[in-house]
Amino acid sequence: MTKRIQNQVVVRPAEVSINKAIDLLEKLYLTAVEEGEELPSVLLLGKPGVGKTVGVSLLARRLSEKTGREFVNLKKEWWRYEEVMQNPEKYFVLLDFAVTHVEPTDLSGFPRTDGKDYVTYMPLEYVKIFSHPFAAGILFLDEITLDTRIDRKSAELKILDEKQFGFRTLSPKVLLITAGNTEEDVGLAEPLPDPVLRGRVMRIYIKPPSVEEWIQFMNDEYGDKWDKKVAAFLLMYPSYLWVKADDDAGYDPRPSPRSWTKLARLLYLASKTDIDDEELDILIDSLISGQEAALFKTFYKTVVPSIDDIRSGLKNWADLPLEAKYLLTVQIAQKDVDELVEKYYEILRDMAKSDRECLHLLLIVMGDPRKRQRFRIAVSRRLPEVAKALSESFRRAQSFEGVM
């Protein structure tokens, strides 16, 4: 990506997925620990809601497992502070918070004299943990480019540059990661000072996930406890996964991986209770706005025939609108593998003939990798034409992603 600053053309490095970024950081961290080295601070820059926080949490869990330490999320398990302080070498600790939500003293510490003729800074409990020489973990500071308070910002720059909170320095095994947005993504964002970026910070631009990556995350994180009709919609309209609202006045929710995640989870909960059509609209409008919300409502409420009506020939698969085919595919994906290939083989053959993207969707929303593998094996043995179409559809999808 390029942009012009004061008649100079600046070439921005390519954006990478959050998965690629955390893969790299995992390798570097483990090697640094083994070699007795220390990684510099990390700055992740990307659009709001693209998975930076989720990615950092995943990285922390992976490093906890690889280093053989027990994982503790201090934000959710704050009561374990004393436990961690007593045996810091036993734990891998994660703490994340937005710097715009804290006071400057939450970063620098509180000045105290304690009866002496000089001032010392009493650190907060999280700083005491992360500055312990035996501590290991990730400290994640979000919204660092959105901070407009000068007093707090000076403390943040010291943290980025020197890894110091007040006069406490982080343990070499604590990875400091910060995140923010660019001015192209959020109008209030401000760039960091040039000296901080010159060799002191690893800066990585993060791109939104693909729909397939988002679906994989949902399956891994929530299993079947989310409404997979959202996946069908996003595969049909992939550009709606993240939408920049240029005319947003600050009141309308923007479509993003984060908002689709929350919507899919809430729609799952709504399916377990009795809500009417108006309540459904309120739910959708609370998380998605604009034409994306209108189109999603139409898609979500599409009336589809039963799978058994299609199987028995009462309804013809080829005559269905694409929206109905996508929604039926989500239903079919919930079936047992043996039932799929023995009872609904004609639908699978129809997909192979004219709607291979539905086969692609079918495999993706199955979620469980073991079920996917059983399905692949079953169709290769009993429905070779379906297996061939499935293989070709995935090759085409991977080729397209390579071009993108």
Side-chain angles (χ1 to χ4, degrees):
M1 179 178 179
T2 62
K3 65 176 181 177
R4 185 172 294 277
I5 301 179
Q6 295 180 347
N7 297 321
Q8 294 183 1
V9 176
V10 179
V11 180
R12 176 181 294 181
E15 295 179 324
V16 301
S17 69
I18 187 63
N19 289 336
K20 179 60 70 174
I22 65 174
D23 284 348
L24 171 63
L25 293 174
E26 178 183 354
K27 295 172 184 176
L28 292 176
Y29 178 89
L30 294 173
T31 303
V33 169
E34 185 177 339
E35 298 292 329
E37 300 287 342
E38 181 179 359
L39 292 184
S41 303
V42 178
L43 172 62
L44 304 178
L45 290 172
K47 298 174 175 61
V50 298
K52 298 185 290 294
T53 302
V54 171
V56 171
S57 178
L58 176 60
L59 173 62
R61 291 182 178 278
R62 280 162 46 171
L63 290 177
S64 170
E65 183 178 347
K66 293 289 179 65
T67 56
R69 291 175 176 240
E70 182 180 343
F71 178 73
V72 175
N73 186 334
L74 271 186
K75 188 174 183 178
K76 297 180 178 180
E77 302 173 282
W78 52 267
W79 62 87
R80 301 185 66 182
Y81 165 75
E82 293 293 343
E83 176 188 343
V84 174
M85 275 305 303
Q86 289 176 6
N87 297 287
E89 69 281 354
K90 180 181 176 182
Y91 301 97
F92 192 94
V93 182
L94 169 67
L95 177 65
D96 70 275
F97 60 86
V99 294
T100 53
H101 296 175
V102 300
E103 293 297 318
T105 48
D106 294 329
L107 301 175
S108 61
F110 291 86
R112 292 286 187 273
T113 59
D114 293 330
K116 302 180 178 64
D117 59 355
Y118 57 86
V119 173
T120 60
Y121 279 84
M122 180 181 295
L124 269 72
E125 59 184 17
Y126 78 91
V127 176
K128 191 174 180 181
I129 288 179
F130 284 113
S131 61
H132 193 287
F134 298 151
I138 292 178
L139 182 55
F140 179 50
L141 310 183
D142 202 4
E143 298 186 1
I144 199 164
T145 60
L146 298 181
D147 199 355
T148 57
R149 282 188 59 170
I150 300 301
D151 52 351
R152 189 169 52 203
K153 206 164 189 175
S154 62
E156 294 160 9
L157 296 179
K158 182 179 181 180
I159 292 167
L160 269 175
D161 190 4
E162 304 175 13
K163 294 188 176 180
Q164 281 193 336
F165 288 73
F167 293 95
R168 291 286 186 110
T169 303
L170 296 181
S171 163
K173 294 183 181 179
V174 172
L175 178 58
L176 176 64
I177 302 179
T178 61
N181 316 116
T182 67
E183 60 270 27
E184 287 90 352
D185 301 325
V186 177
L188 296 176
E190 296 181 358
L192 297 179
D194 182 68
V196 175
L197 294 176
R198 288 188 181 270
R200 292 183 169 93
V201 175
M202 290 178 62
R203 180 221 52 216
I204 304 174
Y205 287 100
I206 304 299
K207 65 181 179 180
S210 67
V211 175
E212 287 81 1
E213 288 171 335
W214 178 80
I215 293 172
Q216 186 61 54
F217 162 75
M218 294 297 291
N219 285 329
D220 292 343
E221 190 73 11
Y222 302 113
D224 290 328
K225 293 185 176 181
W226 62 286
D227 195 326
K228 298 189 178 183
K229 293 179 184 178
V230 178
F233 176 79
L234 291 175
L235 281 169
M236 192 168 182
Y237 302 100
S239 64
Y240 288 171
L241 182 61
W242 194 94
V243 177
K244 183 176 182 179
D246 293 324
D247 58 348
D248 179 23
Y251 304 105
D252 298 326
R254 303 178 180 184
S256 71
R258 180 191 298 148
S259 55
W260 288 116
T261 295
K262 291 181 178 179
L263 181 60
R265 292 278 289 144
L266 288 174
L267 286 172
Y268 168 80
L269 294 178
S271 70
K272 302 297 181 180
T273 186
D274 182 24
I275 67 171
D276 59 33
D277 199 58
E278 182 181 5
E279 291 169 329
L280 179 61
D281 285 348
I282 294 172
L283 170 56
I284 295 170
D285 288 334
S286 72
L287 289 164
I288 305 294
S289 62
Q291 65 178 10
E292 295 82 22
L295 188 58
F296 179 76
K297 290 177 197 174
T298 301
F299 178 88
Y300 193 83
K301 297 175 184 178
T302 299
V303 178
V304 298
S306 72
I307 305 173
D308 288 324
D309 282 348
I310 302 294
R311 183 180 67 87
S312 63
L314 293 177
K315 297 288 184 179
N316 190 351
W317 172 270
D319 295 336
L320 297 177
L322 189 58
E323 292 84 355
K325 290 178 180 178
Y326 270 55
L327 290 169
L328 280 170
T329 300
V330 170
Q331 293 182 31
I332 295 171
Q334 311 310 311
K335 300 293 184 181
D336 178 76
V337 169
D338 289 334
E339 185 180 13
L340 258 177
V341 296
E342 292 176 3
K343 190 174 180 180
Y344 301 103
Y345 61 90
E346 289 293 351
I347 297 179
L348 296 177
R349 284 173 173 161
D350 285 337
M351 290 181 181
K353 290 177 184 177
S354 57
D355 295 292
R356 294 185 177 185
E357 70 271 25
C358 290
L359 283 178
H360 184 73
L361 169 62
L362 177 69
L363 206 59
I364 290 174
V365 298
M366 278 184 179
D368 186 351
R370 294 169 297 182
K371 182 177 179 180
R372 293 180 189 172
Q373 185 61 22
R374 291 199 304 272
F375 178 72
R376 284 181 179 275
I377 293 173
V379 295
S380 66
R381 291 174 176 172
R382 308 181 201 181
L383 304 167
E385 69 277 31
V386 175
K388 180 180 179 182
L390 187 60
S391 178
E392 290 176 354
S393 69
F394 263 83
R395 278 200 302 270
R396 188 162 56 250
Q398 290 170 352
S399 175
F400 176 74
E401 289 175 6
V403 171
M404 295 297 287

